[in-house]
Amino acid sequence: MMTQSSRWFWLTIGIISAGLLYFLAPILLPFVAGALLAYLGDPLVDRLEKFNISRTLSVVVVFFIAFLIVLPILLFLIPLLESQIRLLITKAPSYIDWLMVNLEPTLQETFGVNIPALEVEQLKSTFTDYFSHAGSFFKSLLRTVTHSGFVVIGWAANLFLIPVISFYLLRDWDRLVAYIHDLLPRDVEPTISLLAKESDEVLGAFLRGQMMVMLALGTIYSIGLKLVGLEFSLLIGMLAGLLSFIPYMGLIVGIVVAGAAVLLQTHDPMNLLWVGAVFVAAQMVEGTVLTPLLVGDRIGLHPVAVIFAVLAGGQLFGFFGILLALPVFAVIAVVMRHLNKSYKGSHLYGSPPDSLIAADDDDASSKAS
């Protein structure tokens, strides 16, 4: 049982840590990204160590494999995405014209809304001018270097630091975990170890499994939309895949955006059925194969909670907060489940419900067996 002084000690430590996170957030991005990558790679390194390969050499092998996988994907995806973005910029004015011709009469008859032609032309001009000045990705990057050199240097330093930090953390991961475990107060060590184990299961399910599901769904969406004949299949497919970490968000956004795109491209409403078929087939594959195989039922985060975590992390800490939001919230969810169980078993709640007693009995019998 924690004493009054120990409670104040840990409360002070928590407040100081939260303050440091808030003020140091601008420089913590490479460290958080490196820690997440090290966490993802640790199981593979542990498996290689079982073949009597040294820890350092195992880390080098994992980095080499990751480099061979990621580099070709980036070299293939970036030019394709850039070409599709430029195609979208080129065709956007004609899409706006088609929408005005077909949508404005409906709006005027149904809602009495009249869109002035001057505003439409101004929208087209603004859209075209903005993106024509932006140019290609590399020209935009060069312009950014010219006007904001220190910002780009900072980003380049972060990109360089991420693999370096990840390498050293991954090499010493087991020793760091053992060191932190050794520092824990002995009276709370069993509870914290149990929470850490359950948090690891939740984080492993999400970070390792859900990311693979996102990539697989993005690939399925892109291929399916390409077969339908959609010009922006890769752009829309990857967008829907990335958003699939929020349940149903990727599906809804993907159907809406892909449906609008195929309607603007072909002007044939029947093609909406093919777009719907692509997303229905992808959802069937996700529900029957991808999620059970790669994720399982261990995450247990409500969709609204996921959306709130991402928005709150972005609001408090920017991109660093978005990166850290879901891992932190997954751990908080594990802690809250234990607090809920403790509360219902305490005198504050009253007599524990029969379901809680039965669950405790089942846990005790399973441990005894």
Side-chain angles (χ1 to χ4, degrees):
M1 186 66 64
M2 295 181 65
T3 63
Q4 188 72 16
S5 60
S6 62
R7 290 194 185 98
W8 279 107
F9 171 77
W10 289 112
L11 180 61
T12 304
I13 291 295
I15 294 174
I16 293 175
S17 300
L20 287 175
L21 279 176
Y22 182 80
F23 289 109
L24 296 179
I27 66 168
L28 290 180
L29 178 60
F31 296 93
V32 173
L36 290 176
L37 291 176
Y39 175 77
L40 291 173
D42 180 63
L44 184 56
V45 174
D46 290 340
R47 290 184 182 181
L48 291 176
E49 282 190 292
K50 293 180 180 179
F51 295 97
N52 295 323
I53 303 176
S54 67
R55 181 79 182 182
T56 302
L57 183 57
S58 299
V59 174
V60 172
V61 171
V62 170
F63 264 70
F64 182 71
I65 294 174
F67 179 79
L68 290 181
I69 294 174
V70 173
L71 184 62
I73 293 176
L74 292 179
L75 292 178
F76 174 74
L77 284 181
I78 290 177
L80 284 179
L81 288 173
E82 184 185 355
S83 64
Q84 292 202 351
I85 292 173
R86 284 197 280 183
L87 181 62
L88 175 62
I89 295 168
T90 303
K91 294 198 171 185
S94 61
Y95 291 160
I96 295 174
D97 287 334
W98 186 86
L99 278 174
M100 290 304 102
V101 170
N102 293 273
L103 187 62
E104 187 178 12
T106 304
L107 291 175
Q108 190 170 3
E109 293 175 4
T110 307
F111 303 103
V113 177
N114 186 20
I115 303 176
L118 182 61
E119 292 186 6
V120 176
E121 292 300 324
Q122 186 177 1
L123 175 63
K124 290 163 55 179
S125 176
T126 302
F127 187 90
T128 305
D129 290 344
Y130 177 80
F131 285 102
S132 64
H133 281 88
S136 67
F137 172 80
F138 297 104
K139 290 181 180 178
S140 179
L141 179 62
L142 182 61
R143 185 177 295 107
T144 306
V145 171
T146 304
H147 293 286
S148 306
F150 287 108
V151 175
V152 175
I153 290 174
W155 271 97
N158 285 338
L159 291 176
F160 174 77
L161 283 174
I162 288 173
V164 174
I165 293 171
S166 178
F167 177 87
Y168 285 110
L169 287 178
L170 188 54
R171 189 192 64 178
D172 300 326
W173 189 264
D174 292 341
R175 283 188 289 178
L176 289 172
V177 172
Y179 178 74
I180 294 173
H181 180 271
D182 186 59
L183 286 178
L184 295 175
R186 295 300 93 183
D187 57 340
V188 297
E189 183 273 332
T191 302
I192 295 179
S193 296
L194 177 63
L195 293 176
K197 181 180 179 181
E198 294 187 15
S199 299
D200 178 62
E201 291 179 357
V202 173
L203 287 177
F206 181 80
L207 293 179
R208 299 187 186 100
Q210 190 63 35
M211 284 186 176
M212 295 179 67
V213 170
M214 290 161 56
L215 180 61
L217 278 178
T219 303
I220 294 172
Y221 289 148
S222 300
I223 294 175
L225 294 176
K226 182 67 175 178
L227 294 176
V228 171
L230 189 60
E231 292 176 326
F232 311 110
S233 56
L234 180 64
L235 194 61
I236 298 174
M238 285 302 168
L239 173 65
L242 289 176
L243 291 177
S244 63
F245 73 93
I246 302 175
Y248 306 111
M249 180 65 74
L251 173 65
I252 294 172
V253 172
I255 288 180
V256 171
V257 176
V262 78
L263 193 60
L264 290 170
Q265 178 183 326
T266 64
H267 312 321
D268 184 2
M270 291 299 297
N271 286 320
L272 295 176
L273 297 176
W274 293 108
V275 170
V278 169
F279 282 90
V280 169
Q283 289 301 303
M284 292 177 61
V285 172
E286 180 195 12
T288 58
V289 179
L290 296 177
T291 298
L293 181 63
L294 299 175
V295 179
D297 300 324
R298 295 171 292 175
I299 297 180
L301 298 181
H302 194 275
V304 176
V306 172
I307 297 172
F308 175 80
V310 173
L311 294 179
Q315 176 66 29
L316 292 175
F317 302 106
F319 183 73
F320 161 73
I322 295 175
L323 188 67
L324 201 59
L326 286 177
V328 170
F329 195 81
V331 175
I332 292 176
V334 172
V335 174
M336 291 300 295
R337 283 196 290 267
H338 278 267
L339 290 177
N340 178 62
K341 185 177 179 181
S342 300
Y343 165 68
K344 288 185 175 180
S346 68
H347 68 280
L348 295 174
Y349 182 79
S351 59
D354 296 336
S355 59
L356 185 62
I357 297 175
D360 290 339
D361 292 341
D362 293 339
D363 291 341
S365 61
S366 62
K367 290 179 181 178
S369 61

